[in-house]
Amino acid sequence: MSKYLIRYTPSMAEWCICGKLSLLRDNHVINCDFTMESPFEMTRSDIFFLLGGYDLEMVEIRRLLESCNLQEGRDFADLRLGWGAKLSAYAAVLEDPQFSNRVFAGIELGEDITPPDGYLRIDHHNELSHLPAAIVQVAELLGVVDTTAAARGCE
């Protein structure tokens, strides 16, 4: 199981996942919103994925999650939203006490509400267009090394 070290990045004044290339580029931390008092380790079971608007990439992301033995309702939520999906669609999930110890990772969700503490924004559109495709970012979080082989399952 992959682990990710959370470490303080003084230049950004926030805690961020480091060690995954898509989340740290050109010495600038991106795609992180952690504000914590001490470092910790995060495993794949700590992450709860929220799937965004359906297109071919989102279908493949769901397939990747399932190939890594992640289950809908336990490890991810999929409301099968349309294009332009918003984080507010998952308000009930974000407020559900059973997920209070999880880190939410929103995949291509517009942030029309304030994301919870520790929220991971997975996207590659607009101001994040310099990032790899969302499926590559998800694969990296899951520890799938060969993203071209993602359909074969989790490593």
Side-chain angles (χ1 to χ4, degrees):
M1 183 169 295
S2 298
K3 289 186 176 181
Y4 309 96
L5 178 65
I6 308 297
R7 74 172 166 81
Y8 185 62
T9 308
S11 64
M12 297 298 286
E14 53 187 300
W15 292 90
C16 289
I17 294 179
C18 299
K20 289 296 166 191
L21 203 52
S22 68
L23 299 178
L24 178 64
R25 179 164 295 183
D26 300 327
N27 295 322
H28 289 83
V29 178
I30 50 174
N31 215 21
C32 287
D33 292 321
F34 288 100
T35 53
M36 300 178 181
E37 295 182 9
S38 62
F40 70 95
E41 289 187 346
M42 181 173 64
T43 63
R44 134 181 354 163
S45 63
D46 295 319
I47 303 170
F48 191 91
F49 294 91
L50 306 170
L51 277 66
Y54 257 51
D55 58 9
L56 182 57
E57 183 182 27
M58 202 61 61
V59 170
E60 288 301 312
I61 288 171
R62 181 186 171 106
R63 196 166 120 203
L64 174 61
L65 295 174
E66 290 173 336
S67 75
C68 291
N69 297 316
L70 275 67
Q71 296 177 4
E72 185 171 7
R74 184 192 72 192
D75 303 301
F76 69 90
D78 183 4
L79 296 177
R80 293 163 182 81
L81 302 170
W83 187 251
K86 303 290 186 196
L87 183 58
S88 61
Y90 289 103
V93 175
L94 295 171
E95 295 169 6
D96 191 325
Q98 71 175 320
F99 303 121
S100 63
N101 63 340
R102 306 289 288 276
V103 173
F104 290 103
I107 306 169
E108 298 185 356
L109 291 170
E111 294 175 7
D112 62 330
I113 60 173
T114 302
D117 289 340
Y119 181 78
L120 296 174
R121 181 178 180 197
I122 299 174
D123 206 336
H124 61 106
H125 298 285
N126 302 317
E127 72 277 2
L128 299 176
S129 63
H130 60 286
L131 294 176
I135 193 168
V136 173
Q137 294 179 57
V138 171
E140 288 177 349
L141 281 172
L142 294 173
V144 176
V145 177
D146 181 2
T147 56
T148 62
R152 292 195 303 262
C154 231
E155 296 180 9

